[in-house]
Amino acid sequence: MPIIQVDCWEGFTEDQKKAWAQELTAVTVNRFSIPADKVLVILRESPLANWTQGGVVANDPDFLDKSRSATLQSAT
């Protein structure tokens, strides 16, 4: 039985999460020719304050710019 675990930021709507789980299930069923009832999808939401990238906390208003800048600096 495939178990698909997705760690994501909180804030998706119930409809978005439902559609996401359905699409993940459908792709897995189609790719591996298994019944849908054998696919388990777990969506684990975490607050933005629990995510960091490049040492920048995701709830920082300038998160994308700062984290991308940190990633670029560490690559050089």
Side-chain angles (χ1 to χ4, degrees), residues 3-75:
I3 300 172
I4 303 168
Q5 297 183 44
V6 178
D7 289 302
C8 58
W9 294 350
E10 64 185 357
F12 292 99
T13 67
E14 294 301 314
D15 286 340
Q16 288 173 317
K17 290 185 282 187
K18 181 179 177 180
W20 196 0
Q22 289 172 338
E23 289 179 33
L24 288 169
T25 300
V27 166
T28 304
V29 165
N30 291 333
R31 174 64 56 197
F32 299 107
S33 301
I34 58 175
D37 68 339
K38 300 298 182 201
V39 179
L40 176 63
V41 176
I42 302 168
L43 300 178
R44 293 184 298 207
E45 295 179 284
S46 296
L48 292 177
N50 291 352
W51 288 76
T52 65
Q53 180 174 320
V56 181
V57 179
N59 62 357
D60 184 310
D62 298 317
F63 170 71
L64 290 177
D65 290 334
K66 288 179 181 177
S67 65
R68 289 176 181 157
S69 174
T71 302
L72 292 174
Q73 289 174 9
S74 67

